[in-house]
Every structure is written in C-alpha cells, then in structure tokens.
Amino acid sequence: MSRALLVLFLSVAAAGSATAAGPRRAGADSARVAALLAALDRTDPVICDLIGDQLGNFWMGDNAGGLGRFSDAPAGLQGAKDSLAGRITDPRALQLLIATLGSNNACVRRVAAKLLGRSAVSTDVLRGLLDNPSPLIRESAAYAAGEGERRELVAALARRLADSDAGPTAMAAWALGEIHDPASAQALQTASVWALGQFEDASYAKDVVPLLRDADPVMRATAAEALGQMKSPRVGSALVGALTDRTDAVRRAAVRALADLHERSAVAPLEGLLVNDADADVRRACAHALGDLSEARSLDPLAKALGDPDVEVQRAAADAIGDLDHVTKAPAALARATTSQDLELRRSATKALAHIGDQATVQALAERLGDADKEVRLAAVEGLGEMKVATAIPGLTRALNDRDPEVRRAAAEALGKTDN
C-alpha cells in the first residue's frame, strides 16, 4: 500500500471512530461565547445573519488527518468551532447568553437565543424568561424554546400567543411549530386567528365569525378580539350574540370588540350586562364600552354602577359618565361619589361632575375645593368656572388662596369667566 493511501486510510478510520462514539467536544465556555457575540455585534448585519443561520448546522469536525483543510490553518480552529455546536454548560456562559437576550442588535439576540435554546439552561429559567416584562426578552426566550424543542414549555408558549406584543406572539407560534407537539395544534389555530386580526382587514371577517361558536372558549375569545380589530360593519350582530357566552373571557372580548367597532346596536345589551353580569371584569369592560359609545341614554345604568360592589367598576362608570354626550343633569350618585374614600373614584367623579356642568351641583363641587388631592381641587375649580354663575364666586375666591399655584391660576381664570 502506498504511503499516501495509508495516510488516507488512517485518517478516515480515525474520523469514523470519532463519529461512532458521538461528538466529544464540550460546549463553549464563557470566553468563547463572549468573543462570538462581541464579534457579531461589530460585523456587517448580513454576515451576522449568515453566521446565525449556519450556527450548529454542521457536523463536528474530528478529522484526525486534517483532510480537506489548508495546511496553514490555525491550530485549534476546528475545536473552537465545534465547541459552539456543542451543548453549552458553563454557568457563566449561560448567564451571558441570558443577559444578551435583550440586546438591541437583533442578530446578536437571535444567536444568543439559539445557543441558549440548545444549552443546558433549565426549563424553569426559560419559563421565567417567557414572562419577562421586556417583549424583546419574551420573544428571544420563545425562540430559544423552539430551537431547543422544549416540549415542557408548550403550555407557557401557548400563553404567549395572547401576548400584548406582536413579537412574542409570532415567535411563540413559530416555536410551537418547531416543537411538533400535537397538543399545541389548537394553540396554533388560535394564533392564526389572532394573526388575522392583526391585519385589520375586514375581508377576513367571514372566515372568523363562525369561530365565535367554536367548542374552545379560548378560540371564541380570540375570534371576538380579531373581529373587533378587523372593523367589519357586518359582524355587530354576531358579537352581540357573544355577549351571552357562558365564558367570562369571551363576553369580555365581545364587549371590547363592540366598543372598537362603535356598534350602536350593542348599547342596550351592554347596559344590561353592566348591571347584571356576575363577572366584575365584564361589568368594568361594559362601563368602558358605554363611555366609548357616548350615548346619553346610558347615564342611568352607569349611575347604578356607581354603587357596584367592585370599586374598579365604580371608577369605570364614573369615567364613562364623563364621556357621555348631551348630559345636562348630574345623577345624585355621581355627586355622592365625589366624596368617596377611594381617590381614583373621587377624581373621576369630580371630573365627570365638572364636565356635565349641572348648576344644581355647584355646592358639591365647591366642597371639593378643600379636598386633599390637587387633581380633585383643580377639576372642581374648572367645573365651577365653566358654569359661569354667581353662586360659584365664593368658592372660587377661596381657591385663590390654594396652596398649589396651578389651582390658584385656574381659580383666577374661572373668576374671570363668572358673571358678577
């Protein structure tokens, strides 16, 4: 056997032996990871993206004979490359990857997430990152979960399909597809409906309306939300029907969608839900929706809601009353709410009372000039000024000595508008 053939035979045998035993390289340490991320951050974005695509997509190179490589290639180069394809276990490297998930460089962030997903990072850590306040980190964590095909995170990813930010939602859908878990099929269908809503295209409404009757309540709620975003004028009656859904979340989504659509036919059903629904969140959503629709006829049910057992419903009702059009007489419940121990309710009620401008409430507003809260006093002063009546003068005169300069200026302006 010639010398050249002998070298070739020995080289292939060595490579085959390494392959049979599986990859032997350890994952990259923190220094190697830091060097990679720093280099990618400095390089051209196209080059960075190309490297990100290929990272991990090659066999480890235990080629003992160095066949196919230039003789002057730096020693140890293949080992360094192989370490980046290995499973990273170095705790400091893991911390560095996690810290990079919020990077402003999208390519570097993607590479860090890819390495993290294939690393020894725990499922609990990734689950926590999926709930991080930063949408960039939530998106990166979803990418890591997909890269690592972390089946244990299917439920957490499914929750991210309802994320308030589009980035994490879309990435969670991609990750669920990468994991290939049949249990996530329904979640992916729901994500598709959500995505249709993001297009805000009314032509898709006909495909989504039937889903308001789907067996899955999450799908029904998502369909209602999507229809509200599509702004189709032909879905009002279907959404009004969803107000009687047995699931609270579906009713809430339908209420918000009808408000987004400014669906006038929904006013009466919303008023009924505001007073009678068992779920406080639904009642609160109804109050907000009625405020958006601004119909004067909603004053009575909103006034009743000021006595709701849930203070957040009371606040929403007071805000909504302040948004109603053509209301000239303030309900007694609103005047009483201006004396509430709850600051937010007191502020909202005082502003609503000032907005209505009912001269019968001059005394109620004048009493608020001594309130401990500046916003309440300011709203009272402005309301009294807009009434332009002599009975407001004593209160406004006292307000000229208010401890806050903004209230004093407002009182002076209000007196200038008031008839002597």
Side-chain angles (χ1 to χ4, degrees), residues 182-198:
S184 66
Q186 180 65 38
L188 285 172
Q189 292 174 6
T190 304
S192 298
V193 174
W194 178 89
L196 285 176
Q198 299 306 300

Side-chain angles (χ1 to χ4, degrees), residues 77 102 119 188 195 218 267 332 337:
L77 184 62
S119 76
L188 285 172
V218 176
V267 171

Side-chain angles (χ1 to χ4, degrees), residues 118-202:
R118 299 178 180 188
S119 76
V121 69
S122 73
T123 297
D124 287 341
V125 168
L126 281 180
R127 187 179 289 111
L129 291 169
L130 284 168
D131 291 328
N132 191 278
S134 165
L136 286 182
I137 292 177
R138 295 197 302 273
E139 181 182 35
S140 301
Y143 185 74
E147 276 289 338
E149 298 184 13
R150 302 290 185 106
R151 290 180 179 271
E152 319 91 276
L153 292 173
V154 164
L157 288 166
R159 288 195 298 273
R160 287 275 66 82
L161 295 176
D163 198 281
S164 57
D165 192 277
T169 298
M171 194 60 77
W174 171 85
L176 288 168
E178 290 295 299
I179 292 171
H180 303 300
D181 187 338
S184 66
Q186 180 65 38
L188 285 172
Q189 292 174 6
T190 304
S192 298
V193 174
W194 178 89
L196 285 176
Q198 299 306 300
F199 287 115
E200 300 183 359
D201 187 337

Side-chain angles (χ1 to χ4, degrees), residues 94-366:
L94 295 179
Q95 287 301 314
L96 176 58
L97 292 174
I98 291 170
T100 309
L101 296 185
S103 169
N104 291 325
N105 186 317
C107 177
V108 172
R109 193 166 69 244
R110 176 181 168 225
V111 169
K114 189 173 190 177
L115 292 173
L116 187 67
R118 299 178 180 188
S119 76
V121 69
S122 73
T123 297
D124 287 341
V125 168
L126 281 180
R127 187 179 289 111
L129 291 169
L130 284 168
D131 291 328
N132 191 278
S134 165
L136 286 182
I137 292 177
R138 295 197 302 273
E139 181 182 35
S140 301
Y143 185 74
E147 276 289 338
E149 298 184 13
R150 302 290 185 106
R151 290 180 179 271
E152 319 91 276
L153 292 173
V154 164
L157 288 166
R159 288 195 298 273
R160 287 275 66 82
L161 295 176
D163 198 281
S164 57
D165 192 277
T169 298
M171 194 60 77
W174 171 85
L176 288 168
E178 290 295 299
I179 292 171
H180 303 300
D181 187 338
S184 66
Q186 180 65 38
L188 285 172
Q189 292 174 6
T190 304
S192 298
V193 174
W194 178 89
L196 285 176
Q198 299 306 300
F199 287 115
E200 300 183 359
D201 187 337
S203 67
Y204 294 121
K206 64 182 184 300
D207 301 311
V208 176
V209 166
L211 297 175
L212 290 173
R213 300 185 295 275
D214 193 89
D216 179 26
V218 176
M219 176 63 83
R220 298 198 302 274
T222 303
E225 180 184 349
L227 288 170
Q229 293 171 314
M230 289 176 185
K231 304 293 192 293
S232 170
R234 298 183 179 87
V235 300
S237 60
L239 286 168
V240 168
L243 294 177
T244 61
D245 194 281
R246 61 186 178 275
T247 302
D248 299 341
V250 178
R251 298 197 301 280
R252 287 196 298 271
V255 169
R256 288 192 292 266
L258 288 164
D260 289 340
L261 293 170
H262 296 283
E263 180 61 45
R264 299 293 172 187
S265 68
V267 171
L270 289 172
E271 291 171 350
L273 276 186
L274 170 64
V275 176
N276 299 313
D277 199 277
D279 183 76
D281 289 337
V282 172
R283 299 196 302 275
R284 184 172 68 251
C286 286
H288 287 307
L290 291 170
D292 290 339
L293 292 166
S294 304
E295 294 279 352
R297 57 162 287 172
S298 299
L299 179 62
D300 286 345
L302 286 168
K304 289 179 183 176
L306 290 171
D308 192 279
D310 188 285
V311 70
E312 292 189 11
V313 176
Q314 297 174 34
R315 295 169 185 165
D319 284 334
I321 290 174
D323 291 331
L324 299 182
D325 295 330
H326 312 301
V327 173
T328 56
K329 184 171 177 56
L334 184 63
R336 288 195 297 271
T338 63
T339 65
S340 171
Q341 294 297 309
D342 182 79
L343 176 57
E344 288 187 42
L345 175 57
R346 204 162 71 244
R347 285 175 176 171
S348 295
T350 304
K351 290 175 183 178
L353 203 65
H355 172 75
I356 292 171
D358 182 355
Q359 293 186 16
T361 63
V362 167
Q363 184 58 36
L365 286 174

